[in-house]
Amino acid sequence: MKISNEEVTYVADLSRLEFSEAETARMGEELGAVLDYVATLNAVDTTGVKATEHILNVQNVFREDEVGQSLSNEEALANAPEAESGCFKVPRVIE
Amino acid sequence: MEYDIVIGMEIHAELATKTKIFCSCPTTFGADENTHTCPVCLGMPGVLPVLNKKVVEYATKAGLALNCKIANFSKMDRKNYFYPDLPKAFQTSQFDLPICVGGVLDIEVGGETRPIGITRIHIEEDAGKLIHEGADGTLVDVNRCGVPLIEIVTEPDMRSAEEARAFAEKVRNILEYTGVSDCKMEEGSIRFDVNLSVKEKGSDVLGTRTEMKNLNSFRALERAVHYESKRQIIELKKGHRIIQETRKWDDVKGVSSSMRSKEEAHDYRYFPEPDLVPIVISDEEIARAKAELPELPEAKKARYVSEYGIPEYDASVITTSKVSAAYFEEAVAAYHEPKLIANWLMVDIPAHLKERELTMETIPFGPSALAKLVELIKSGAISGKIAKSVMEKMFEGEGDPEAIVKAHGWAQMSDSGELEAIIKQVIEDNPKSVSDIATGNKKAYGFLTGQVMRATKGQANPQMANQIIRKLVEAQIGKTE
Ligand SMILES: [Zn+2]
């Protein structure tokens, strides 16, 4: 099953990715193959099998509500490509 | 054509935990930018979030207080979107299995009780703060990222701005009582989003809805609903279609406008959060949480009416805030005059608080001082009028009402001999009033009482003054009644 160019472009857009025409076509083929592979699961008879809500068979892992050490402002911003007035700086976003 | 207004609400409330939802950074408001962060809430790769136990406890309590069913099994999901207030590019939230479902809250508007359905309550993390002003770019403060929230989603059950406001106020009140959120609107710890559509009266077909986000006061919420419903009706009457969109409410101009920013198709591609495990709550734990719930406003209100005998209206005003209810109860415990204490809490105290920009949290005197003041009036030590001056001084920080009365020489004149001398003088000075009374104009008594109060600077005991005035005037007129 090939994924249509429109669908690839839509998903790429949501992921902030940009593809050339050739890449879009290739993505359509490859994503289609991935979905086909996953779809083999549909062949399994799951009548009477409880739906899986979560893949881990573990539950209730909690931490206590106790304050720990946070990073300093300098540490927090150490990896930021751009910073100003103690903040991360990003291209202007208009509300 | 008549129209019905259909309103649903989403309420976000920050939970009153000490730390964030998935890391041990503090949640305190107003810290310097980016000083409450760690690799987890900064969204660094390879970190492991761990759910704060208190978040589950608070969400359970909120759900119970809002009459929801608590899910025995719920899980966290990722809600994917790109926006700089969210360093991970997804918000950890709950999608198909929220922690609370199916609640209801009755509201009362115009003497009518209406049940408002609560679809669900889920837990999630708050986003960071964006600062747009001045800079050529946008600045990001991550402190608020990961502060725990509950999102309460209602059914589209509200039909007017008044109902929307009543519901919002009631939810805030209950969350405050339950202690799960401090509900400070000015700090954004509780925020209201309104979904609104209009439909032909009686029709089952819902209209297209618009959404207004982050209405930050009850007044703004009420005004925004009034404006937006009118706008939609006018559009429809003109034959226009309503566009499904997010609109921005401008509280200064009193208008809503389309947010024409490049709004993304909302496709959040939710999927189960693989780093967080499911939350399982047993029936025993739910029962325990239920037993731990404090007395909620509704129950408190009923108790004030039955136990203290104050009018229902008074009870509902006092219970609008947890702090004023606690204050009231303490004052009544100190001096059992519930109605008189309620009066002060409903009229004079709010007026002073407003004038001085204080709140019940910052009021400069305690409930025992208020009780003392009421006792002074009740025992006849001061007049009601003087009491108002005493309260003034209490707000100015002069402390104990008894000490204030003493310091200012405000004790009521209850010495009948002293008072009688003053009244004799007043009667002598006002022969016209006496002759008026003699000819049947009883109103002149009021004038004489006023003169006596003036002569004593309000310190005469009015009942006693009246008695003496009558006695002396009648003696002078030479007839008894
Ligand atoms: Zn953190």
Side-chain angles (χ1 to χ4, degrees):
Chain A
M1 180 181 66
K2 187 183 178 301
I3 304 295
S4 75
N5 285 354
E6 292 72 45
E7 237 171 314
V8 172
T9 310
Y10 174 71
V11 175
D13 224 39
L14 287 174
S15 315
R16 301 292 188 276
L17 295 171
E18 206 174 350
F19 295 136
S20 68
E21 235 170 86
E23 281 171 323
T24 305
R26 181 164 63 80
M27 284 295 164
E29 299 286 345
E30 289 179 1
L31 285 172
V34 171
L35 290 184
D36 284 341
Y37 179 64
V38 175
T40 52
L41 282 172
N42 289 339
V44 182
D45 179 10
T46 54
T47 339
V49 177
K50 199 176 161 291
T52 303
E53 279 118 350
H54 201 282
I55 45 156
L56 289 177
N57 203 13
V58 184
Q59 59 200 36
N60 291 354
V61 177
F62 300 126
R63 35 171 284 273
E64 295 299 323
D65 186 26
E66 281 159 15
V67 176
Q69 187 65 49
S70 291
L71 296 174
S72 69
N73 182 268
E74 295 69 34
E75 286 169 314
L77 298 175
N79 292 325
E82 243 192 300
E84 190 180 305
S85 316
C87 291
F88 295 89
K89 188 174 177 187
V90 298
R92 190 165 167 78
V93 182
I94 299 149
E95 289 250 281
Chain B
M1 178 82 65
E2 293 273 309
Y3 290 91
D4 282 330
I5 304 168
V6 180
I7 305 160
M9 216 181 277
E10 282 158 28
I11 302 175
H12 289 90
E14 284 182 359
L15 296 175
T17 56
K18 292 203 270 296
T19 65
K20 294 187 178 182
I21 183 167
F22 302 123
C23 63
S24 60
C25 289
T27 53
T28 19
F29 180 80
D32 285 346
E33 290 85 359
N34 297 301
T35 52
H36 289 175
T37 71
C38 72
V40 174
C41 55
L42 282 168
M44 294 293 176
V47 293
L48 186 67
V50 185
L51 183 56
N52 184 339
K53 203 173 181 177
K54 210 80 187 169
V55 169
V56 177
E57 187 189 316
Y58 282 171
T60 305
K61 283 192 174 164
L64 290 167
L66 295 169
N67 308 304
C68 292
K69 188 184 171 318
I70 308 303
N72 292 118
F73 183 98
S74 75
K75 68 169 172 67
M76 307 304 299
D77 299 277
R78 291 187 179 183
K79 177 181 180 178
N80 299 279
Y81 64 92
F82 282 95
Y83 204 62
D85 63 0
L86 207 61
K88 293 186 295 187
F90 63 83
Q91 180 190 28
T92 307
S93 181
Q94 294 191 296
F95 181 50
D96 54 337
L97 294 169
I99 195 160
C100 316
V101 289
V104 68
L105 196 61
D106 285 341
I107 53 164
E108 235 177 87
V109 173
E112 199 193 339
T113 302
R114 298 237 308 116
I116 306 299
I118 293 165
T119 317
R120 57 185 279 163
I121 303 175
H122 62 255
I123 53 178
E124 62 183 24
E125 57 184 338
D126 208 344
K129 200 170 110 192
L130 299 183
I131 303 153
H132 301 282
E133 64 218 58
D136 46 336
T138 293
L139 302 181
V140 188
D141 175 8
V142 184
N143 282 350
R144 205 180 57 188
C145 260
V147 168
L149 292 176
I150 47 172
E151 179 176 338
I152 302 166
V153 182
T154 79
E155 294 292 307
D157 285 347
M158 287 158 272
R159 292 288 174 271
S160 67
E162 292 71 27
E163 287 188 11
R165 181 183 181 142
F167 179 80
E169 285 184 335
K170 191 154 184 186
V171 168
R172 179 189 183 272
N173 196 8
I174 288 175
L175 294 181
E176 194 202 1
Y177 267 78
T178 317
V180 302
S181 172
D182 62 17
C183 293
K184 287 188 183 147
M185 299 186 80
E186 66 283 6
E187 291 179 6
S189 65
I190 184 162
R191 319 191 278 264
F192 302 91
D193 302 346
V194 165
N195 296 309
L196 191 151
S197 65
V198 297
K199 64 177 177 68
E200 287 178 17
K201 207 168 192 73
S203 163
D204 290 336
V205 187
L206 288 178
T208 305
R209 60 177 205 183
T210 61
E211 187 176 10
M212 289 180 289
K213 281 184 187 290
N214 290 338
L215 297 166
N216 60 4
S217 76
F218 295 122
R219 201 176 100 90
L221 186 148
E222 196 174 344
R223 291 175 71 213
V225 170
H226 270 302
Y227 177 90
E228 179 60 14
S229 53
K230 264 193 207 134
R231 185 192 70 87
Q232 289 191 14
I233 291 169
I234 290 169
E235 287 291 303
L236 290 177
K237 283 189 171 161
K238 282 185 191 158
H240 296 167
R241 273 186 331 113
I242 304 297
I243 302 155
Q244 180 163 355
E245 61 182 353
T246 301
R247 296 179 67 85
K248 192 185 174 78
W249 171 251
D250 184 328
D251 204 42
V252 178
K253 292 188 190 137
V255 296
S256 74
S257 57
S258 178
M259 289 176 72
R260 284 180 214 284
S261 62
K262 40 172 184 170
E263 200 174 319
E264 298 301 328
H266 281 187
D267 186 342
Y268 295 128
R269 294 150 296 140
Y270 281 96
F271 64 85
E273 165 59 68
D275 290 340
L276 289 160
V277 301
I279 304 157
V280 174
I281 309 175
S282 69
D283 289 339
E284 292 72 46
E285 284 168 303
I286 296 168
R288 204 178 315 137
K290 195 162 197 168
E292 279 172 20
L293 280 184
E295 186 181 34
L296 296 176
E298 203 102 307
K300 218 177 244 305
K301 192 175 128 187
R303 183 166 65 81
Y304 285 4
V305 174
S306 65
E307 194 177 315
Y308 297 141
I310 62 171
E312 201 174 311
Y313 175 78
D314 298 27
S316 61
V317 172
I318 290 167
T319 52
T320 2
S321 120
K322 187 184 178 181
V323 186
S324 74
Y327 197 95
F328 171 73
E329 286 181 33
E330 267 187 63
V332 173
Y335 185 63
H336 197 84
E337 278 294 340
K339 177 56 184 156
L340 296 178
I341 289 168
N343 288 348
W344 284 100
L345 279 170
M346 291 194 309
V347 185
D348 291 82
I349 290 180
H352 277 290
L353 292 175
K354 195 170 173 202
E355 188 193 314
R356 294 161 206 269
E357 292 178 1
L358 294 168
T359 64
M360 281 309 287
E361 280 94 343
T362 53
I363 187 167
F365 53 90
S368 58
L370 174 62
K372 191 79 217 164
L373 179 67
V374 171
E375 192 178 348
L376 289 173
I377 307 163
K378 189 75 186 170
S379 68
I382 56 171
S383 67
K385 200 167 159 225
I386 289 291
K388 287 182 191 284
S389 310
V390 176
M391 171 140 295
E392 185 97 38
K393 298 292 173 196
M394 286 161 78
F395 270 101
E396 282 164 17
E398 286 192 22
D400 176 52
E402 223 162 6
I404 294 171
V405 169
K406 201 170 240 175
H408 294 267
W410 282 343
Q412 189 153 256
M413 203 175 282
S414 307
D415 175 341
S416 59
E418 191 185 348
L419 190 53
E420 199 161 323
I422 293 170
I423 294 174
K424 265 192 186 136
Q425 191 58 48
V426 167
I427 291 175
E428 250 182 67
D429 295 345
N430 295 282
K432 170 95 172 46
S433 298
V434 178
S435 58
D436 282 351
I437 293 168
T439 57
N441 180 7
K442 296 283 190 288
K443 274 187 198 154
Y445 273 125
F447 175 77
L448 288 176
T449 310
Q451 293 303 305
V452 171
M453 296 313 282
R454 175 187 267 189
T456 58
K457 299 193 178 68
Q459 290 176 47
N461 177 323
Q463 283 83 19
M464 192 184 280
N466 275 329
Q467 257 172 18
I468 299 172
I469 292 168
R470 278 179 188 271
K471 189 183 79 182
L472 295 181
V473 169
E474 280 159 13
Q476 195 164 330
I477 296 168
K479 72 167 202 214
T480 47
E481 281 182 292

